[in-house]
Amino acid sequence: MDKIIYFDYCALIIIIVLFISVFSRKMTHGKVNKAFIATLLTTLLTIILDIIAISLDNSNGEYITAKYVFHGLYLLIHNMSVPVYILYLIALTDTWHKIRTNIYIKYLLPLPIVVVAILLVINVFNLKTFYLDANLHYTRGPWFPLVYISALIYVVFGAYYVWQYKKTFRRSRFWALMSIFLAIAFATVMQMLFPRYPIEMFATSLGLLFIAMMIQRPEENIDVITDLHNIHAYSTDIKRGLTNQKQITIILINLSNYASLRDIAGYDAGHDLLRSVAKRLAELNKASKAHADLYYLDKGRFRVVIDHLHHDKVDSLANAINHSLESGIVVKNLNLNLMPYVCVAEFPGIIENYDALMYFGERLSLDYDYTGEVLYANEIFKKERFDLMNKLDDIIENALINRKFQVYYQPIFSVKENRFNSAEALLRLIDDKFGFISPELFIPAAEQSGAIHRIGTYVLEEVCDFIASDDFKKLNLDYIEVNLSVAQCMHKDLPSQVMNVLRKYKLSPDKINLEITETIASCAQNTMAENLDILTKEGVSFSLDDYGTGYSNIQRVASLPLKIVKLDRTFVNCENNPRMSIVLENTIHMLKDMEMEIVAEGIETEQLMKRFADMNCEYIQGYYYSKPIPRDEFVKYILENQPA
Ligand code: C2E
Ligand code: MG
Ligand code: MG
């Protein structure tokens, strides 16, 4: 009875389509793609050999030699397809380094296929594995079960391998990888029951189709602009490497001025720039033989990931990259000068986990000065700071619960009245482990986590409690300035929150003055403007803090109901710059004309104090008088220093 050949034809079509898709989608680079192509190739060969062998069996002719040759080749190549698929699994799980160091797997894994090869060679002499019967039909010999056992060993090992790394795959991917084994098992049983229907290759090709659909998806992992791996691939690869205890070296490359170059030259040129950088990285990688994987994350950030095996090539590659990028790139006839931060990081090393790595990579061009030299994470990564940033949310939460925040006061001196007339409330956080934590760190963190609203209420309560106290009455102060953050200003409950606290302590609203920063004032936010209006009507006054640091939107500033402007510290220190002095004098003039009162902040010397007093600034604040100090100390200070 003839065997049905059509299943093989179908399998052939599927595999050919898969080949076309692999090449047309340019999925030919990288270990995983190469291993997948090898799997497709062995399957294709097996199918072709199967078709030839079946055709020979079905034909009327004798073709004895051809039958032996093609059946033998078929068995050999067919038996190789699962081991090749296992290589694909190893590439996919990125576990070469484990196989390499595990001598059992390294030497035992090839054994079954070697045995099959030997069986097939010996078969030429003893015909114990397969032979042609009296009718010249292909028949299995007494040693044939050994071939099955070899296949079984690989199937079991492969399935176990997928199972072992189950956690590193999403569930759909896990089942796609398993589908091949299920298909082979199902087909083998069916083929035993119905020998006329050789469906095994068809089932295998369906499994591969499934994998191509679920796993070999470049659109998920490839960056469309640079053709390098994207941020998603980076994150999966780095995390998988960590789970597999793989040691790697990463060259982090941040083009720190990418955004401004793109703004100047346009988006198309920006993309051309990225492509040129990607091309240079690929060329340097090839020349260095570091076999690195290249990634483009975003915002001009590239990553070069090198296996520990090629560790010795890292330094020269990093220097070559730095040198090449620093020399600039010509895009659309524009010579673009880059400011590349190139940094070498062992991973895991001083940077221990994925979050720290991402944090370091994000902050690289912000936290460190540009030197033009290759940087080393070992030398520059501030683990303490990362630990702090990482735990900041918990520290803030804990400080709120245990009332660890403290409000300090910094006196403000009125030149006109020759007395201290107010003070600024400044928040302090002293942690048991990390010590003093600057508000410039914890305020932004609290804004992100939302804790800022509770902190805001806390500060306001503390301040009002102080104002309502008997101590305060003795000080002859008019009001206390309280800082507001962006998030607080944008919250629609701000007015009621402030008024509730004032009411609770039975205070008149003119006892407090709220400070908003220039950034808040210049961002067009309706809620913010409404909040200011409501509170002003209630009698609360406002100051504009840090004036002169940001991009002052004068129009916006002029339209807000502000009573006081606080000149920023940096603005104040411009003595040695004659032009800035002119700006300063005219700014003060302009603000006076707008009928604003002025506080000069950050005044540290008598000379500066006099200078600003001469320039008609009403108020002076700074270390010249006092640093911010705790409530009790502040009371003592004012009592002792308030002119009679
Ligand atoms: P800011 O409101 O501009 O506060 C003035 C900062 O300048 C304070 O830093 C103060 O200690 C410092 N300073 C004052 N005089 C001098 C001086 O003569 N020389 C020098 N070098 N520095 C001086 P601090 O306390 O570290 O606060 C930093 C920023 O954190 C504040 O800037 C403010 O924006 C924010 N902040 C502080 N407390 C709070 C708060 O309770 N709520 C909110 N939302 N923000 C706060
Ligand atoms: Mg302030
Ligand atoms: Mg300020």
Side-chain angles (χ1 to χ4, degrees), residues 103-143:
I103 43 168
Y104 295 113
I105 296 188
K106 198 163 137 189
Y107 294 111
L108 287 182
L109 204 58
L111 205 62
I113 188 71
V114 172
V115 169
V116 170
I118 294 170
L119 284 182
L120 292 172
V121 172
I122 301 176
N123 196 55
V124 176
F125 308 103
N126 72 357
L127 297 179
K128 292 247 191 244
T129 307
F130 74 91
Y131 58 93
L132 301 178
D133 66 9
N135 302 322
L136 296 182
H137 279 158
Y138 165 82
T139 313
R140 290 166 186 175
W143 287 5

CSV table of all heavy atoms in Angstrom, one decimal, residues 103-143:
chain,number,residue,atom,x,y,z
A,103,ILE,N,30.1,20.3,32.0
A,103,ILE,CA,30.7,19.3,31.1
A,103,ILE,C,29.8,18.2,30.8
A,103,ILE,O,29.9,17.6,29.7
A,103,ILE,CB,32.0,18.8,31.8
A,103,ILE,CG1,31.9,18.5,33.3
A,103,ILE,CG2,33.2,19.7,31.5
A,103,ILE,CD1,33.0,17.7,33.9
A,104,TYR,N,28.9,17.8,31.7
A,104,TYR,CA,28.0,16.7,31.4
A,104,TYR,C,27.2,17.0,30.1
A,104,TYR,O,27.1,16.2,29.2
A,104,TYR,CB,27.0,16.4,32.6
A,104,TYR,CG,27.8,16.0,33.8
A,104,TYR,CD1,27.8,16.8,34.9
A,104,TYR,CD2,28.4,14.7,33.8
A,104,TYR,CE1,28.5,16.3,36.0
A,104,TYR,CE2,29.1,14.3,34.9
A,104,TYR,CZ,29.1,15.1,36.0
A,104,TYR,OH,29.8,14.7,37.1
A,105,ILE,N,26.5,18.2,30.2
A,105,ILE,CA,25.7,18.5,29.0
A,105,ILE,C,26.6,18.7,27.8
A,105,ILE,O,26.3,18.2,26.7
A,105,ILE,CB,24.9,19.8,29.3
A,105,ILE,CG1,24.0,19.6,30.4
A,105,ILE,CG2,24.2,20.3,28.0
A,105,ILE,CD1,23.0,20.7,30.7
A,106,LYS,N,27.7,19.3,28.0
A,106,LYS,CA,28.6,19.6,26.8
A,106,LYS,C,29.0,18.3,26.1
A,106,LYS,O,29.0,18.2,24.9
A,106,LYS,CB,29.8,20.3,27.3
A,106,LYS,CG,30.6,21.0,26.3
A,106,LYS,CD,31.5,22.0,26.9
A,106,LYS,CE,32.9,22.0,26.3
A,106,LYS,NZ,33.9,22.8,27.1
A,107,TYR,N,29.3,17.3,26.9
A,107,TYR,CA,29.8,16.0,26.2
A,107,TYR,C,28.7,15.0,26.0
A,107,TYR,O,28.8,14.2,25.0
A,107,TYR,CB,30.9,15.4,27.0
A,107,TYR,CG,32.2,16.3,27.0
A,107,TYR,CD1,32.6,16.9,28.1
A,107,TYR,CD2,32.9,16.5,25.8
A,107,TYR,CE1,33.7,17.7,28.1
A,107,TYR,CE2,34.0,17.3,25.7
A,107,TYR,CZ,34.4,18.0,26.9
A,107,TYR,OH,35.5,18.8,26.8
A,108,LEU,N,27.7,15.0,26.8
A,108,LEU,CA,26.6,14.0,26.6
A,108,LEU,C,25.6,14.4,25.6
A,108,LEU,O,25.0,13.5,24.9
A,108,LEU,CB,25.9,13.7,28.0
A,108,LEU,CG,26.7,13.0,29.0
A,108,LEU,CD1,25.9,12.7,30.3
A,108,LEU,CD2,27.2,11.6,28.5
A,109,LEU,N,25.4,15.7,25.4
A,109,LEU,CA,24.3,16.1,24.5
A,109,LEU,C,24.6,15.6,23.1
A,109,LEU,O,23.6,15.1,22.4
A,109,LEU,CB,24.2,17.6,24.5
A,109,LEU,CG,22.8,18.2,24.1
A,109,LEU,CD1,21.7,17.6,25.0
A,109,LEU,CD2,22.8,19.7,24.2
A,110,PRO,N,25.8,15.7,22.5
A,110,PRO,CA,25.9,15.2,21.2
A,110,PRO,C,25.9,13.7,21.0
A,110,PRO,O,25.8,13.1,19.9
A,110,PRO,CB,27.3,15.7,20.8
A,110,PRO,CG,27.8,16.6,21.8
A,110,PRO,CD,27.0,16.2,23.1
A,111,LEU,N,26.0,12.9,22.2
A,111,LEU,CA,26.1,11.5,22.1
A,111,LEU,C,25.1,10.7,21.3
A,111,LEU,O,25.4,10.0,20.4
A,111,LEU,CB,26.3,10.9,23.5
A,111,LEU,CG,27.0,9.6,23.7
A,111,LEU,CD1,28.5,9.8,23.2
A,111,LEU,CD2,27.0,9.1,25.1
A,112,PRO,N,23.8,11.0,21.6
A,112,PRO,CA,22.7,10.2,20.9
A,112,PRO,C,22.8,10.3,19.4
A,112,PRO,O,22.7,9.3,18.7
A,112,PRO,CB,21.4,10.8,21.4
A,112,PRO,CG,21.8,11.4,22.8
A,112,PRO,CD,23.2,11.8,22.6
A,113,ILE,N,23.1,11.5,18.9
A,113,ILE,CA,23.1,11.7,17.5
A,113,ILE,C,24.3,11.0,16.9
A,113,ILE,O,24.3,10.5,15.8
A,113,ILE,CB,23.0,13.2,17.1
A,113,ILE,CG1,22.8,13.4,15.6
A,113,ILE,CG2,24.2,14.0,17.5
A,113,ILE,CD1,21.5,13.0,15.1
A,114,VAL,N,25.4,11.0,17.7
A,114,VAL,CA,26.6,10.3,17.2
A,114,VAL,C,26.3,8.8,17.1
A,114,VAL,O,26.7,8.1,16.1
A,114,VAL,CB,27.8,10.5,18.2
A,114,VAL,CG1,29.0,9.7,17.8
A,114,VAL,CG2,28.2,12.0,18.1
A,115,VAL,N,25.6,8.3,18.1
A,115,VAL,CA,25.2,6.9,18.1
A,115,VAL,C,24.4,6.6,16.8
A,115,VAL,O,24.6,5.6,16.1
A,115,VAL,CB,24.4,6.5,19.3
A,115,VAL,CG1,23.8,5.1,19.2
A,115,VAL,CG2,25.3,6.6,20.5
A,116,VAL,N,23.4,7.4,16.5
A,116,VAL,CA,22.6,7.2,15.3
A,116,VAL,C,23.4,7.2,14.0
A,116,VAL,O,23.3,6.3,13.2
A,116,VAL,CB,21.5,8.3,15.2
A,116,VAL,CG1,20.8,8.2,13.8
A,116,VAL,CG2,20.5,8.1,16.3
A,117,ALA,N,24.4,8.2,14.0
A,117,ALA,CA,25.2,8.2,12.8
A,117,ALA,C,26.0,6.9,12.7
A,117,ALA,O,26.1,6.3,11.6
A,117,ALA,CB,26.2,9.4,12.9
A,118,ILE,N,26.5,6.4,13.8
A,118,ILE,CA,27.3,5.2,13.8
A,118,ILE,C,26.4,4.0,13.3
A,118,ILE,O,26.8,3.2,12.5
A,118,ILE,CB,28.0,4.9,15.2
A,118,ILE,CG1,29.0,5.9,15.4
A,118,ILE,CG2,28.6,3.5,15.2
A,118,ILE,CD1,29.6,5.9,16.9
A,119,LEU,N,25.2,4.0,13.9
A,119,LEU,CA,24.2,2.9,13.5
A,119,LEU,C,24.0,2.9,12.0
A,119,LEU,O,24.0,1.8,11.4
A,119,LEU,CB,22.9,3.1,14.2
A,119,LEU,CG,22.8,2.8,15.7
A,119,LEU,CD1,21.3,3.0,16.1
A,119,LEU,CD2,23.1,1.3,15.9
A,120,LEU,N,23.9,4.1,11.4
A,120,LEU,CA,23.6,4.2,10.0
A,120,LEU,C,24.8,3.7,9.2
A,120,LEU,O,24.6,3.1,8.1
A,120,LEU,CB,23.1,5.6,9.7
A,120,LEU,CG,21.7,5.9,10.2
A,120,LEU,CD1,21.4,7.4,10.0
A,120,LEU,CD2,20.6,5.0,9.7
A,121,VAL,N,26.0,4.1,9.7
A,121,VAL,CA,27.2,3.6,8.9
A,121,VAL,C,27.3,2.1,9.0
A,121,VAL,O,27.5,1.4,8.0
A,121,VAL,CB,28.4,4.3,9.5
A,121,VAL,CG1,29.7,3.7,8.9
A,121,VAL,CG2,28.4,5.8,9.3
A,122,ILE,N,27.1,1.6,10.2
A,122,ILE,CA,27.2,0.1,10.4
A,122,ILE,C,26.1,-0.6,9.6
A,122,ILE,O,26.3,-1.7,9.0
A,122,ILE,CB,27.1,-0.3,11.9
A,122,ILE,CG1,28.2,0.3,12.7
A,122,ILE,CG2,27.2,-1.8,12.0
A,122,ILE,CD1,28.1,0.1,14.2
A,123,ASN,N,25.0,0.1,9.4
A,123,ASN,CA,23.9,-0.6,8.7
A,123,ASN,C,24.2,-1.0,7.3
A,123,ASN,O,23.7,-2.0,6.8
A,123,ASN,CB,22.7,0.4,8.7
A,123,ASN,CG,21.4,-0.2,8.3
A,123,ASN,OD1,21.0,-1.2,9.0
A,123,ASN,ND2,20.7,0.2,7.3
A,124,VAL,N,25.2,-0.2,6.7
A,124,VAL,CA,25.6,-0.6,5.4
A,124,VAL,C,26.1,-2.0,5.4
A,124,VAL,O,25.9,-2.8,4.4
A,124,VAL,CB,26.7,0.4,4.9
A,124,VAL,CG1,27.3,0.0,3.6
A,124,VAL,CG2,26.2,1.8,4.9
A,125,PHE,N,26.7,-2.5,6.5
A,125,PHE,CA,27.3,-3.8,6.5
A,125,PHE,C,26.3,-4.9,7.2
A,125,PHE,O,26.2,-6.0,6.7
A,125,PHE,CB,28.6,-3.8,7.3
A,125,PHE,CG,29.5,-2.8,6.8
A,125,PHE,CD1,29.7,-1.6,7.5
A,125,PHE,CD2,30.2,-3.0,5.6
A,125,PHE,CE1,30.6,-0.6,7.1
A,125,PHE,CE2,31.1,-2.0,5.2
A,125,PHE,CZ,31.3,-0.8,5.9
A,126,ASN,N,25.6,-4.4,8.2
A,126,ASN,CA,24.8,-5.5,8.9
A,126,ASN,C,23.3,-5.4,8.7
A,126,ASN,O,22.6,-6.3,9.2
A,126,ASN,CB,25.2,-5.5,10.4
A,126,ASN,CG,24.6,-4.3,11.1
A,126,ASN,OD1,24.0,-3.4,10.5
A,126,ASN,ND2,24.8,-4.2,12.4
A,127,LEU,N,22.8,-4.3,8.2
A,127,LEU,CA,21.3,-4.1,7.9
A,127,LEU,C,20.5,-4.4,9.2
A,127,LEU,O,19.4,-5.0,9.1
A,127,LEU,CB,20.9,-5.1,6.8
A,127,LEU,CG,21.5,-4.8,5.4
A,127,LEU,CD1,21.0,-5.8,4.4
A,127,LEU,CD2,21.2,-3.4,5.0
A,128,LYS,N,21.0,-4.0,10.3
A,128,LYS,CA,20.2,-4.2,11.6
A,128,LYS,C,19.3,-3.1,11.9
A,128,LYS,O,18.4,-3.2,12.7
A,128,LYS,CB,21.2,-4.5,12.7
A,128,LYS,CG,22.0,-5.8,12.6
A,128,LYS,CD,21.5,-6.7,13.7
A,128,LYS,CE,22.5,-7.9,13.7
A,128,LYS,NZ,21.9,-9.2,13.4
A,129,THR,N,19.6,-1.9,11.3
A,129,THR,CA,18.7,-0.7,11.7
A,129,THR,C,17.5,-0.6,10.8
A,129,THR,O,16.4,-0.5,11.2
A,129,THR,CB,19.6,0.6,11.6
A,129,THR,OG1,20.7,0.4,12.4
A,129,THR,CG2,18.8,1.8,12.2
A,130,PHE,N,17.8,-0.7,9.5
A,130,PHE,CA,16.7,-0.8,8.5
A,130,PHE,C,17.2,-1.6,7.3
A,130,PHE,O,18.4,-1.7,7.0
A,130,PHE,CB,16.1,0.6,8.1
A,130,PHE,CG,17.0,1.3,7.2
A,130,PHE,CD1,16.8,1.2,5.8
A,130,PHE,CD2,18.0,2.2,7.7
A,130,PHE,CE1,17.7,2.0,5.0
A,130,PHE,CE2,18.8,2.9,6.9
A,130,PHE,CZ,18.6,2.8,5.5
A,131,TYR,N,16.3,-2.2,6.5
A,131,TYR,CA,16.6,-2.9,5.3
A,131,TYR,C,15.5,-2.9,4.3
A,131,TYR,O,14.4,-2.5,4.7
A,131,TYR,CB,17.1,-4.3,5.7
A,131,TYR,CG,16.0,-5.1,6.4
A,131,TYR,CD1,15.1,-5.9,5.7
A,131,TYR,CD2,15.9,-5.0,7.8
A,131,TYR,CE1,14.1,-6.6,6.4
A,131,TYR,CE2,14.9,-5.7,8.4
A,131,TYR,CZ,14.0,-6.5,7.7
A,131,TYR,OH,13.0,-7.2,8.4
A,132,LEU,N,15.7,-3.4,3.2
A,132,LEU,CA,14.6,-3.5,2.2
A,132,LEU,C,14.2,-5.0,2.2
A,132,LEU,O,15.1,-5.9,2.1
A,132,LEU,CB,15.1,-3.1,0.8
A,132,LEU,CG,15.6,-1.6,0.7
A,132,LEU,CD1,16.1,-1.3,-0.7
A,132,LEU,CD2,14.6,-0.6,1.1
A,133,ASP,N,12.9,-5.2,2.3
A,133,ASP,CA,12.5,-6.6,2.4
A,133,ASP,C,12.4,-7.2,1.0
A,133,ASP,O,12.8,-6.6,0.0
A,133,ASP,CB,11.1,-6.7,3.1
A,133,ASP,CG,10.0,-6.0,2.3
A,133,ASP,OD1,10.2,-5.6,1.2
A,133,ASP,OD2,8.9,-5.8,2.9
A,134,ALA,N,11.8,-8.4,0.9
A,134,ALA,CA,11.8,-9.2,-0.3
A,134,ALA,C,11.2,-8.4,-1.4
A,134,ALA,O,11.6,-8.4,-2.6
A,134,ALA,CB,11.1,-10.5,-0.1
A,135,ASN,N,10.2,-7.5,-1.1
A,135,ASN,CA,9.5,-6.7,-2.1
A,135,ASN,C,10.2,-5.4,-2.3
A,135,ASN,O,9.6,-4.4,-2.8
A,135,ASN,CB,8.0,-6.4,-1.7
A,135,ASN,CG,7.3,-7.8,-1.5
A,135,ASN,OD1,7.5,-8.7,-2.3
A,135,ASN,ND2,6.5,-7.8,-0.4
A,136,LEU,N,11.3,-5.2,-1.7
A,136,LEU,CA,12.1,-4.0,-1.8
A,136,LEU,C,11.4,-2.8,-1.1
A,136,LEU,O,11.5,-1.7,-1.4
A,136,LEU,CB,12.4,-3.6,-3.2
A,136,LEU,CG,13.3,-4.5,-4.0
A,136,LEU,CD1,13.6,-4.0,-5.4
A,136,LEU,CD2,14.6,-4.8,-3.2
A,137,HIS,N,10.7,-3.2,0.0
A,137,HIS,CA,10.0,-2.2,0.8
A,137,HIS,C,10.9,-1.9,2.0
A,137,HIS,O,11.5,-2.8,2.6
A,137,HIS,CB,8.6,-2.6,1.3
A,137,HIS,CG,7.6,-2.5,0.2
A,137,HIS,ND1,6.4,-3.2,0.2
A,137,HIS,CD2,7.6,-1.7,-0.9
A,137,HIS,CE1,5.7,-2.8,-0.8
A,137,HIS,NE2,6.4,-1.9,-1.5
A,138,TYR,N,10.9,-0.6,2.4
A,138,TYR,CA,11.7,-0.1,3.5
A,138,TYR,C,11.1,-0.8,4.8
A,138,TYR,O,9.9,-0.7,5.0
A,138,TYR,CB,11.6,1.4,3.6
A,138,TYR,CG,12.0,2.0,4.9
A,138,TYR,CD1,13.4,2.2,5.2
A,138,TYR,CD2,11.1,2.4,5.9
A,138,TYR,CE1,13.7,2.8,6.4
A,138,TYR,CE2,11.4,2.9,7.1
A,138,TYR,CZ,12.8,3.1,7.3
A,138,TYR,OH,13.1,3.7,8.5
A,139,THR,N,12.0,-1.4,5.6
A,139,THR,CA,11.5,-2.1,6.8
A,139,THR,C,12.5,-1.8,8.0
A,139,THR,O,13.7,-1.7,7.7
A,139,THR,CB,11.5,-3.6,6.6
A,139,THR,OG1,10.9,-3.9,5.3
A,139,THR,CG2,10.7,-4.4,7.7
A,140,ARG,N,11.9,-1.6,9.1
A,140,ARG,CA,12.8,-1.3,10.3
A,140,ARG,C,13.4,-2.6,10.8
A,140,ARG,O,12.8,-3.7,10.9
A,140,ARG,CB,12.0,-0.7,11.4
A,140,ARG,CG,11.5,0.7,11.0
A,140,ARG,CD,10.5,1.2,11.9
A,140,ARG,NE,10.0,2.5,11.4
A,140,ARG,CZ,9.0,3.2,11.9
A,140,ARG,NH1,8.3,2.7,12.9
A,140,ARG,NH2,8.7,4.3,11.4
A,141,GLY,N,14.7,-2.5,11.2
A,141,GLY,CA,15.4,-3.7,11.7
A,141,GLY,C,15.4,-3.7,13.2
A,141,GLY,O,14.8,-2.9,13.9
A,142,PRO,N,16.0,-4.8,13.8
A,142,PRO,CA,15.9,-5.0,15.3
A,142,PRO,C,16.6,-3.8,16.1
A,142,PRO,O,16.3,-3.6,17.2
A,142,PRO,CB,16.7,-6.3,15.5
A,142,PRO,CG,17.5,-6.5,14.3
A,142,PRO,CD,16.8,-5.9,13.1
A,143,TRP,N,17.6,-3.1,15.4
A,143,TRP,CA,18.3,-2.1,16.2
A,143,TRP,C,17.5,-0.7,16.1
A,143,TRP,O,18.0,0.3,16.6
A,143,TRP,CB,19.7,-1.9,15.7
A,143,TRP,CG,20.6,-3.0,16.1
A,143,TRP,CD1,20.3,-4.1,16.8
A,143,TRP,CD2,22.0,-3.0,15.9
A,143,TRP,NE1,21.4,-4.9,17.0
A,143,TRP,CE2,22.5,-4.2,16.4
A,143,TRP,CE3,23.0,-2.2,15.2
A,143,TRP,CZ2,23.8,-4.6,16.4
A,143,TRP,CZ3,24.3,-2.6,15.2
A,143,TRP,CH2,24.7,-3.8,15.8
